[in-house]
Amino acid sequence: MKILVINAGSSSIKYQLFDMTDNKVLCKGLCERIGIEGSAFKHKVPGQDDYKIEVPMKNHEEAIRLVINTLVSKDHGVISSMSEIGAVGHRVLHGGEKFSGSVLIDQKVIAAIEECCELGPLHNPHNLTGIRACAEIMGDIPQVAVFDTGFHQTMPDYAYMYAIPYEYYEKYKIRRYGFHGTSHRYVSGRAAEILGRDPKDLKIVTCHLGNGSSISAIKGGKCFDTTMGVTPLEGIMMGTRCGSIDPAIIPLLMEKEHMSAKDIDTMMNKKSGMLGVSQRTSDNRDIEEGVKAGDKRCQLVENMLFHQLTKYVGGFAAAMGGLDAVVFTGGIGENSPRIRSFVGHKLEFMGCRVDDEKNNCRGKEVDFATPDSKIRLLVIPTEEELTIAKDTYEIVTALNK
Ligand code: AMP
C-alpha cells in the first residue's frame, strides 16, 4: 500500500509518499507561499534531479491538486493513478485531551480537531484545510490524523497541571500538552530496540533539538513529563522562541514598552531564543561558527543552551528516579557533537561515560557511551513522516480486516 503523508501549514504543504511494502520514500516535496505571490513547488524523487517551479497556488486545494497531478505525471510521477494511494496521513498539531493516539478521520474527528483550534490557533485550522482539500480531491480515500500532542497524554496530572487557579483548567483546558510527540515516541521506541530492552523497563530522556526544541521523560515506554506546554513556546530556549521565562516579565514589558498581548506573543515566539540573545542568528550552525570566531554573544547563547538542556535532563532523571539512556534527535541533536558531548560529560557524576570519538558523527544512529557507562547516549535521526505513515497504514489495514 502507498501512503501519502501531508503536513499542512498556514502557507505551505509538505508531503511524502511512502511504499509500505518496504517503508521507502517514493518522493517528497513542498508547496510554499500558498495564497501569496511567488508560490513555489518543489518535488524530489530519490536518484533524480529536483523538480522546482514557480506556479500560482491560490489555496490549499490547488496545492494538493498540483501534488497529486505531479505524483501521476509522466515526467516526474511515481504512480500511475491516484487510486494507488491507499490512505493519507495528516500531521495535526493539537489534539487537546481528546486524542491520545492516531485516528481515522470522520466528521466527528473533524469537529473535535476544530474544537482544538483554540489551543492551536496557528496550526489546527491549516491542518483542517489540508484534510478538507484531500477529501475534496481524493473522495473516499481514508484519512488518518496523527497528533503532535497524542504521545504526551499519558503524563500524570501533577506533571501536566500549572499552579494557577484550577478553574482555568476546567474552563479553558489550560494545562501542559507537549509537542513533537511523534518524534519522542519514535526515538524512544527505537532506543529500546537498539538497546535490546523492553520499553517497560527503561527510563529515557529524549531531546528533540531543532528550530523548535522539546525534551521528554519517557518512563516504561510512556511519556511521564515534557518541556513544552499549552503551546510549543514553553521549555528550553529555541531558534526564535524564548522557552520558559518568569511570567512576570510579560506585564512588566507591557507596561514599560507599551506592548500589546500580540506584540508580546510575537516577541516571545519570533524575536527571542538564540536570535534574541545573539541579535544575529536563530541558526545553531551560525552560533557554533560564532563561538569558534570568539563572538561573545554566540558563546553566551551556547552556554545558556547547554546549561538549560543539562538542567532538564538531570531534572527529568531525578523525577523518574533513574536514567538508562539519553537520546538526541532533531537538526541540532543529530548534527551537533558539541552539545551531546557537553551533556554526556555533565552526567559523569551519575556514572555516564562518553566516547568522544564515536560521538564525532552527524545524522546517523550511534551509541556514543563507552561500554562501561551506566547511561547509554544515543543519536537517533527522527522519522516523523514514516511514523505517521506507519500509524496510517496500521489503522487502514485494521479497517479492511
Ligand atoms: P530542525 O528544525 O530539526 O530542522 O533543526 C534545525 C537546526 O539544526 C538549526 O538550528 C541548524 O543550525 C541545526 N543544525 C543543522 N545541521 C547542523 C550541524 N551540522 N551542526 C550544528 N547544528 C546543525
Side-chain angles (χ1 to χ4, degrees), residues 16-19 23-28 44 46:
Q16 286 196 28
L17 184 69
F18 288 91
D19 185 341
N23 294 341
K24 258 215 183 112
V25 179
L26 296 174
C27 65
K28 60 175 150 184
K44 170 138 194 75

Side-chain angles (χ1 to χ4, degrees), residues 180 208-213 238-239 274 281-288 329-339 362 382 384:
H180 294 137
H208 180 112
L209 308 171
N211 278 325
S213 300
M238 308 176 212
M274 297 191 197
T281 176
S282 63
D283 193 293
N284 183 60
R285 273 166 296 204
D286 299 338
I287 296 288
E288 291 192 5
T329 194
I332 301 174
E334 292 167 27
N335 294 301
S336 173
R338 278 177 78 84
I339 200 165
R362 296 182 200 281
T382 196
E384 286 170 289

Side-chain angles (χ1 to χ4, degrees), residues 232-246:
L233 181 58
E234 198 185 344
I236 189 163
M237 64 188 285
M238 308 176 212
T240 62
R241 286 174 248 170
C242 60
S244 296
I245 58 170
D246 181 345

